[in-house]
Amino acid sequence: MKHRDGILFVVSAPSGAGKTTLCKGITDSLENLTHSISYTTRKPRPGETDGRDYYFVTADRFRDMVQAGDFAEYAEVHANLYGTSKRVLDDMIREGIDVILDIDTQGARQIKSHFATAVFVFIMPPSMAILEERLRNRKSDREDEIRKRMRRAVDEIRDYGLYDYIVVNRDFERALSELRSIVVAERCRTKLLRNNWIEDLLR
Ligand code: 5GP
C-alpha cells in the first residue's frame, strides 16, 4: 500500500541549458523516480531508440492521438509535435511513482491547469553568453538554427514565473544536487500523504 500518490515534476529549460543530462542524472540517482517518454513526430537522432528516448510516430498518428484525447499535454516545438501520454501519467500517479516530465513551457502551462499538485522546475543557464557557447560547442546545429534557439530561449526564460523552483546550471554537480534536494523535499510534503496511512499508524 503506497503512502501517497506519485508526484509530477515538470522540468523545462532553453535548449543547451543541460536539462537532458540533469534529468538523466536524477532518475539514475533516486529510487522510485522515472522519466516520462514522450511521443514525437521528429525524426530520431543518431543513437536515439524508439521506446527509450521517445515514441517516434507519424504526424497522422499524432493527430489521431490528439483527437482521441490521449495526451495530458502536447505542443509544437521547433516545427515538430511533442506530447505526453495521459494514461501513463495517471497510472504512475496511482501507483505512487514520481515522474519527471522534460517538456517545454507550453506543455508546462497545460500540465499546470490539469494537475494541481505538479511541481515545476526551470533550469536556467548562468548567462545568455554561456548558453550560446554551449549551443555552438555541440557542433550539431547550423548558424541559423543557433540564432533561432537563442531567440526561443529568451521567450522561454520570460516564462520563469510559471515555475516553483529555478536551478542555475553553472556547475553540473551542484545543479544535480539542487534538483535532487527539490525532489526529496517535495516527497515529504504533508498534503501528499494518503490520510488512511496516518490513521492506520495511530490504530
Ligand atoms: P528535443 O527534440 O531536443 O529532444 O526536444 C525539444 C524540446 O521539446 C525540449 O525543450 C523538450 O523539453 C521538449 N519536449 C520533449 N517532449 C515533450 C513533450 O512531450 N511535450 C512538450 N510540450 N515538450 C516536449
Side-chain angles (χ1 to χ4, degrees), residues 38-156:
S38 298
Y39 287 78
T40 184
T41 61
R42 121 158 132 57
K43 297 275 167 283
R45 296 188 186 121
E48 284 184 332
T49 309
D50 186 52
R52 187 193 66 191
D53 300 287
Y54 282 102
Y55 296 111
F56 296 99
V57 295
T58 61
D60 281 347
R61 167 94 202 282
F62 195 98
R63 271 184 230 110
D64 288 346
M65 291 181 74
V66 171
Q67 286 302 318
D70 288 348
F71 291 122
E73 64 75 35
Y74 69 95
E76 188 179 316
V77 185
H78 306 135
N80 292 302
L81 293 163
Y82 295 82
T84 306
S85 158
K86 191 186 280 172
R87 188 180 47 78
V88 172
L89 292 194
D90 289 343
D91 289 352
M92 298 289 184
I93 291 173
R94 202 171 338 101
E95 287 171 31
I97 298 169
D98 301 332
V99 190
I100 295 257
L101 303 184
D102 164 349
I103 62 176
D104 84 323
T105 55
Q106 306 169 73
R109 197 167 267 123
Q110 295 168 47
I111 294 289
K112 191 150 213 167
S113 59
H114 292 115
F115 296 87
T117 55
V119 178
F120 294 81
V121 183
F122 194 84
I123 312 289
M124 194 73 88
S127 72
M128 297 312 276
I130 291 177
L131 183 69
E132 186 164 347
E133 191 185 308
R134 286 181 186 165
L135 285 175
R136 283 185 195 288
N137 284 344
R138 283 182 178 184
K139 300 201 190 332
S140 56
D141 295 327
R142 296 201 321 264
E143 184 59 31
D144 56 340
E145 191 59 35
I146 291 172
R147 296 273 116 243
K148 216 160 72 188
R149 284 176 192 255
M150 287 304 293
R151 277 197 301 275
R152 194 178 145 83
V154 172
D155 292 338
E156 286 165 328

Side-chain angles (χ1 to χ4, degrees), residues 161-175:
L162 266 174
Y163 294 79
D164 302 305
Y165 297 94
I166 304 265
V167 170
V168 179
N169 187 12
R170 180 173 287 108
D171 170 75
F172 176 79
E173 286 306 326
R174 180 164 178 176

